């Protein structure tokens, strides 16, 4: 009896994992990103309509250079000591945002599909 209960729990966890994976993989692709500094949204960008550009996001006298190219976004360069945000590369999915802890910067996909042309601050 004990083994049947444990087997049922394992099967239920496995089933929940499969269903969750299917939902994540079949969800509508997100094209809108938010650039947040110190908890405040600086920009909301629709990558499907954004023009290729490079711009600087500053914080406390420091800078992150953000690049948009071919409907993708990344931190191209930063003057933080570890450059983890630069090594993260292009933002590829909603589960892993680009984060620069020293500069309090987060670039993440958002569900906000409002009428955003390219950049709003």
């Amino acid at each position: 009896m004990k083994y049947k209960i444990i087997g049922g729990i394992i099967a239920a966890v496995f089933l929940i994992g499969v269903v969750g994976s299917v939902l994540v993989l079949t969800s509508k692709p997100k094209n809108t990103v938010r650039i947040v500094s110190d908890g405040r949204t600086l920009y909301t960008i629709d990558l499907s309509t954004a023009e290729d550009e490079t711009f600087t996001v500053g914080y406390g006298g420091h800078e992150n250079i953000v690049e948009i190219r071919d409907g993708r976004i990344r931190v191209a360069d930063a003057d933080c000591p570890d450059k983890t945000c630069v090594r993260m590369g292009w933002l590829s999915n909603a589960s892993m945002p680009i984060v620069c802890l020293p500069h309090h910067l987060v670039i993440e996909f958002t569900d906000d599909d409002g009428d955003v042309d390219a950049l709003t601050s």
Side-chain angles (χ1 to χ4, degrees):
M1 181 69 157
K2 181 179 177 181
Y3 295 114
K4 286 183 181 181
I5 293 172
I6 293 173
I9 291 172
I10 291 172
V13 169
F14 179 74
L15 184 61
I16 290 170
V18 169
V19 170
S21 297
V22 169
L23 290 175
V24 168
L25 293 174
T26 59
S27 65
K28 179 179 89 170
K30 295 182 180 184
N31 290 322
T32 304
V33 296
R34 287 187 317 159
I35 299 177
V36 179
S37 178
D38 211 19
R40 187 173 59 96
T41 300
L42 302 177
Y43 304 101
T44 302
I45 304 166
D46 183 348
L47 294 176
S48 64
T49 60
E51 305 233 350
D52 292 355
E53 68 175 305
T54 302
F55 57 94
T56 302
V57 177
Y59 177 80
H62 298 284
E63 297 181 337
N64 291 75
I65 298 173
V66 178
E67 178 183 13
I68 299 172
R69 184 168 22 116
D70 300 327
R72 302 179 304 165
I73 190 167
R74 71 176 179 149
V75 175
D77 195 20
D79 61 3
C80 55
D82 59 6
K83 296 196 185 290
T84 300
C85 54
V86 176
R87 289 194 310 270
M88 292 182 82
W90 298 99
L91 183 64
S92 59
N93 62 52
S95 65
M96 182 65 76
I98 297 173
V99 177
C100 181
L101 288 178
H103 298 169
H104 300 214
L105 178 74
V106 177
I107 302 174
E108 62 188 352
F109 282 107
T110 181
D111 290 330
D112 180 21
D113 293 329
D115 296 328
V116 178
D117 291 332
L119 289 175
T120 59
S121 56

